[in-house]
Amino acid sequence: MQMVKTGIISAAIGVAIFLGGCAVSDLPLKETVWVQVPDSLVEPAPVVKKEPAWFLIDRGNRLTGNGGVNQIIGSVKTAEDGKLVFNPPATTRMAGPNLPSENAFLKVLESTRSYQLSGETLTLFDENGKPVATFKAGPQEWKYLEQ
């Protein structure tokens, strides 16, 4: 009986060590809230008020989010090979101190041609394969805020 208990404990420890060493799997591009990493834009603009720019792509390739001032909506084209194209999004037309940073964020979306996922990080690339912005997975509750 003691030998069986020891074997079970050893197996449990082995599984715990194995699972603990596993890397976090990549989050999906779709249905994840992606929040812009500060100062990750190729052409950053000053952020006056700390309102994060973020977006979400749903399963129907619809885009929703916030540029830091205005809500954004639109659509995207995706492909299994990492291609990603944001169609020019529509925005609400509110004024705010972060309009320069929002315009830079929208410019990045429009210049994106591909992406790469690594754990909870999303990197967007332009047509030349140069990174244009980095995003981290954000609070999933945000996906229900502005739809």
Side-chain angles (χ1 to χ4, degrees):
M1 186 67 159
Q2 182 64 27
M3 196 164 141
V4 172
K5 284 183 183 177
T6 304
I8 292 172
I9 291 171
S10 295
I13 291 171
V15 169
I17 290 171
F18 173 75
L19 292 177
C22 290
V24 174
S25 63
D26 295 344
L27 289 174
L29 173 67
K30 296 180 181 180
E31 299 298 334
T32 300
V33 172
W34 295 107
V35 180
Q36 177 190 326
V37 173
D39 300 323
S40 73
L41 300 181
V42 170
E43 297 177 23
V47 175
V48 177
K49 188 176 175 190
K50 297 292 181 194
E51 296 292 331
W54 64 274
F55 70 88
L56 169 95
I57 300 169
D58 71 12
R59 289 185 188 99
N61 285 339
R62 290 179 299 267
L63 171 72
T64 58
N66 191 295
V69 177
N70 291 288
Q71 294 179 33
I72 60 172
I73 58 170
S75 63
V76 301
K77 295 177 188 168
T78 61
E80 293 297 319
D81 63 354
K83 300 293 184 212
L84 175 62
V85 175
F86 291 84
N87 295 318
T91 66
T92 53
R93 293 294 194 191
M94 298 188 328
N98 285 342
L99 279 178
S101 62
E102 179 173 280
N103 289 335
F105 171 72
L106 293 171
K107 184 177 176 183
V108 159
L109 296 184
E110 290 182 30
S111 71
T112 297
R113 294 297 174 263
S114 63
Y115 71 95
Q116 181 179 35
L117 290 166
S118 179
E120 294 187 358
T121 302
L122 169 67
T123 305
L124 302 180
F125 299 90
D126 67 13
E127 64 187 9
N128 297 316
K130 294 182 182 175
V132 292
T134 304
F135 295 80
K136 292 283 187 183
Q140 295 306 297
E141 310 83 67
W142 288 6
K143 66 170 81 171
Y144 306 107
L145 293 178
E146 300 179 5
Q147 294 185 14

